[in-house]
């Protein structure tokens, strides 16, 4: 059974919208797309290649799928460590409206998200990877279906845009499993999902307050 692994880019204030370019996603009037671009140094590139090396299949939200499908099929070098995997491996896109995906190897996932994703995990050798797809990631975290979250935080604050952890997220506890910081200051931290948070208090017990 494969692990469901999310890799997502966020700003210091939690925005995940349009990291790759100005026209990537302008919904909601967002005009700050491309905020991750200047941080793409060798350290960052090594991390991305390591992630794609572990891929067995990809699960994408509709918005991210459309962005990827407009770009990666044109990258035809099979030796490219990212394009080679994205073009060759199975791709699953969560959508209620997409009916005839043109990117080879794409299957549309509809219906009960939890049941569908559990089935995909069962049949995937290696990691079932989510890239971007913030709304889908939030839903799957709330359903306790994501096993590992690679949270890639860039040293920039935007003050606008769609945020990964918005009001109403299901309270969730993680275990930190590793991390690094690139030369450009991007913090790459990996977490396994554990379940509900645990709570305590730093207050002195009543018998110690006298």
């Amino acid at each position: 059974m494969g692990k469901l692994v999310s890799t997502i880019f966020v700003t210091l204030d939690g925005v995940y919208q349009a990291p790759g370019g100005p026209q990537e996603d302008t919904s909601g009037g967002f005009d700050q797309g491309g905020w991750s671009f200047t941080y793409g140094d060798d350290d960052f590139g090594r991390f991305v290649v390591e992630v794609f090396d572990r891929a067995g299949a990809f699960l994408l939200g509709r918005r991210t799928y459309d962005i990827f499908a407009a770009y990666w099929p044109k990258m035809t070098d099979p030796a490219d460590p990212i394009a080679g995997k994205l073009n060759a491996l199975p791709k699953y896109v969560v959508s209620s409206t997409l009916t005839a995906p043109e990117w080879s190897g794409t299957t549309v996932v509809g219906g009960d998200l939890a049941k569908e994703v559990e089935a995909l995990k069962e049949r995937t050798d290696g990691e079932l990877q989510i890239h971007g797809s913030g709304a889908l990631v939030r839903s799957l975290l709330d359903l306790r279906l994501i096993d590992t979250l690679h949270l890639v935080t860039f040293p920039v604050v935007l003050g606008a845009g769609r945020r990964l952890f918005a009001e109403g997220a299901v309270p969730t506890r993680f275990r930190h499993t590793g991390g690094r910081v690139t030369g450009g200051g991007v913090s790459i931290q990996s977490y396994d999902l554990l379940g509900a948070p645990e709570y305590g208090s730093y207050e002195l017990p009543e018998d110690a307050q006298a």
Side-chain angles (χ1 to χ4, degrees):
M1 179 173 175
K3 286 175 61 180
L4 183 57
V5 179
S6 164
T7 300
I8 190 159
F9 300 170
V10 296
T11 64
L12 287 174
D13 54 339
V15 175
Y16 68 85
Q17 188 170 354
Q23 300 306 313
E24 193 172 71
D25 178 7
T26 58
S27 61
F30 187 67
D31 61 359
Q32 299 187 72
W35 45 266
S36 76
F37 179 78
T38 59
Y39 299 96
D41 58 13
D42 289 345
D43 289 344
F44 184 75
R46 274 190 292 272
F47 163 73
V48 173
V49 170
E50 288 169 15
V51 168
F52 276 87
D53 278 347
R54 298 189 294 267
F58 299 99
L59 175 66
L60 302 169
R62 174 64 188 275
R63 198 186 305 269
T64 299
Y65 175 82
D66 285 345
I67 292 166
F68 278 25
Y71 180 83
W72 289 110
K74 299 171 186 172
M75 303 293 111
T76 56
D77 179 1
D80 183 296
I82 300 173
K85 291 293 182 79
L86 280 170
N87 288 321
L89 291 175
K91 292 165 286 291
Y92 304 99
V93 54
V94 177
S95 176
S96 59
T97 57
L98 184 63
T99 55
E102 295 182 3
W103 194 3
S104 175
T106 298
T107 301
V108 178
V109 174
D112 186 313
L113 182 63
K115 286 182 180 178
E116 294 281 1
V117 171
E118 287 281 16
L120 293 179
K121 289 172 69 171
E122 289 280 354
R123 75 167 73 122
T124 299
D125 292 323
E127 294 182 355
L128 176 60
Q129 294 188 349
I130 311 174
H131 293 274
S133 309
L136 176 61
V137 169
R138 275 206 311 269
S139 296
L140 294 172
L141 284 169
D142 289 351
L143 291 167
R144 302 286 195 247
L145 287 173
I146 287 179
D147 298 293
T148 299
L149 175 67
H150 299 306
L151 191 66
V152 185
T153 306
F154 291 75
V156 59
V157 168
L158 300 181
R162 286 196 303 277
R163 287 167 169 79
L164 180 60
F165 295 115
E167 194 76 20
V170 173
T172 305
R173 179 167 56 103
F174 298 86
R175 179 177 64 245
H176 184 249
T177 58
R180 68 187 88 163
V181 179
T182 72
V186 177
S187 176
I188 301 168
Q189 304 299 327
S190 300
Y191 303 92
D192 286 351
L193 192 150
L194 291 183
E198 296 176 342
Y199 303 96
S201 173
Y202 288 108
E203 292 179 6
L204 289 170
E206 286 189 14
D207 58 2
Q209 292 179 358

